[in-house]
Amino acid sequence: MHTNRIRIVLVHTSHPGNIGGVARAMKNMGLGRLYLVQPKRFPDHEADWRAASAQDVLADAVVCESVEQAISDCHFVVGTSARGRRIPWPLQNPRQCAPQIAQAADNGEVAILFGREDRGLTNEELQQCHLHLNIPTSEAYSSLNLAMAVQIVAYELKMHEVGEGDPAEAQWDAPFSTNEEVERFYQHLEQTLVDIEFLNPAAPRQLMTRLRRLYSRVRLDEMELNILRGILTETQKWVQRVKSSKE
Ligand code: SAH
């Protein structure tokens, strides 16, 4: 995901602490581009303090005179709002919206707008957006703190990015078994179960189906499959030894 093409735009923020909180939320989730449209107080020690180790995001922040200036080169603009508007715009929650934002960032610059602490974004500002994003909340109180709203949106973008790769697979220490290898294991298992007279070939019932279902609930890697097959081979050797000593 091109996170470096996604900018967070804060419109007329009153409280510098919120600007710092936003910078931290962004950096935690791997976003770095902050635009501030006419912030009331910036730079400010309270912003620095709340940003903790995200001072670099504040240092790189771009201060603009207008929303138009902040989004002029963007081809996809999302406006966040706690309230529905009289003329509704296409509305999504952050989870639905994340893939669309990521895809748009693959093709160019993207902005996500956040409004004033007291009044949010104006209708005129929201009408410059392609999409409205609403974080589902309790009906009793729908307005989140600004930095927390940014945190949730940034987190959903991160989760989308995490899901793009298959980290479980990438970090695994052995290749996963192929279908052919697993089929050979089932044949080996079936033969061994016959050898030890656990499975009666004349009346197999659903045993192999149930065992298949058991093993298919995990993805066996090659190492695990080799261990299981080694156990089967040794079991078969013992059966042979016992049988030949009886003869
Ligand atoms: N009282 C304002 C809300 C201000 S909260 C209003 O009624 O609109 C400050 C900003 O945080 C909002 O402008 C919006 O960008 C974001 N925000 C807060 N709660 C949100 C929610 N439930 N969904 C989407 N954005 C939200």
Side-chain angles (χ1 to χ4, degrees):
M1 189 163 77
H2 290 89
T3 44
N4 58 343
R5 294 206 189 128
I6 300 173
R7 69 186 68 169
I8 299 294
V9 181
L10 304 185
V11 181
H12 291 249
T13 310
S14 317
H15 200 301
N18 280 333
I19 298 177
V22 166
R24 181 174 187 169
M26 288 171 62
K27 189 164 178 182
N28 283 145
M29 297 298 132
L31 299 177
R33 294 179 58 212
L34 178 60
Y35 284 61
L36 304 169
V37 177
Q38 293 193 18
K40 209 169 199 175
R41 280 165 43 203
F42 186 80
D44 189 281
H45 73 276
E46 245 178 294
D48 292 341
W49 183 71
R50 282 280 302 279
S53 294
Q55 309 264 347
D56 52 331
V57 176
L58 292 182
D60 293 343
V62 180
V63 177
C64 304
E65 276 308 305
S66 65
V67 171
E68 288 77 7
Q69 194 189 340
I71 63 173
S72 63
D73 58 335
C74 294
H75 76 130
F76 189 59
V77 182
V78 175
T80 58
S81 176
R83 294 176 283 130
R85 305 290 162 139
R86 197 141 49 93
I87 301 180
W89 235 239
L91 186 71
Q92 290 194 2
N93 68 44
R95 197 160 297 174
Q96 294 167 322
C97 201
Q100 218 172 326
I101 293 173
Q103 200 175 36
D106 285 344
N107 300 319
E109 292 289 322
V110 175
I112 312 174
L113 266 54
F114 291 84
R116 302 153 184 80
E117 288 94 329
D118 54 348
R119 288 184 295 114
L121 293 169
T122 64
N123 287 337
E124 291 69 32
E125 284 158 356
L126 277 170
Q127 284 162 18
Q128 298 185 56
C129 302
H130 298 101
L131 196 79
H132 289 180
L133 190 157
N134 176 260
I135 301 165
T137 59
S138 158
E139 275 176 31
Y141 192 21
S142 67
S143 172
L144 276 78
N145 165 267
L146 176 59
M148 297 196 186
V150 172
Q151 182 77 77
I152 288 171
V153 174
Y155 171 73
E156 289 297 340
L157 286 169
K158 173 48 90 186
M159 285 305 286
H160 174 75
E161 188 184 31
V162 167
E164 274 182 344
D166 188 345
E169 191 149 337
Q171 288 161 18
W172 208 248
D173 60 349
F176 287 100
S177 306
T178 63
N179 186 59
E180 194 187 350
E181 289 163 342
V182 177
E183 284 303 323
R184 276 206 299 269
F185 162 68
Y186 288 138
Q187 282 167 20
H188 196 171
L189 177 63
E190 187 169 7
Q191 186 54 52
T192 310
L193 295 177
V194 172
D195 293 351
I196 64 169
E197 294 174 14
F198 186 81
L199 174 64
N200 177 0
R205 306 230 177 106
Q206 294 298 321
L207 181 65
M208 286 314 296
T209 307
R210 292 201 174 274
L211 287 172
R212 272 176 180 264
R213 190 175 70 175
L214 167 67
Y215 284 109
S216 66
R217 292 215 296 278
V218 288
R219 267 180 88 190
L220 291 171
D221 69 34
E222 285 180 357
M223 191 96 75
E224 292 158 343
L225 204 82
N226 283 338
I227 293 169
L228 289 170
R229 292 205 54 178
I231 294 170
L232 295 178
T233 303
E234 288 307 310
T235 308
Q236 288 178 310
K237 278 189 198 161
W238 273 96
V239 173
Q240 280 309 320
R241 258 178 248 161
V242 171
K243 277 186 180 163
S244 51
S245 72
K246 277 185 184 164
E247 281 164 11

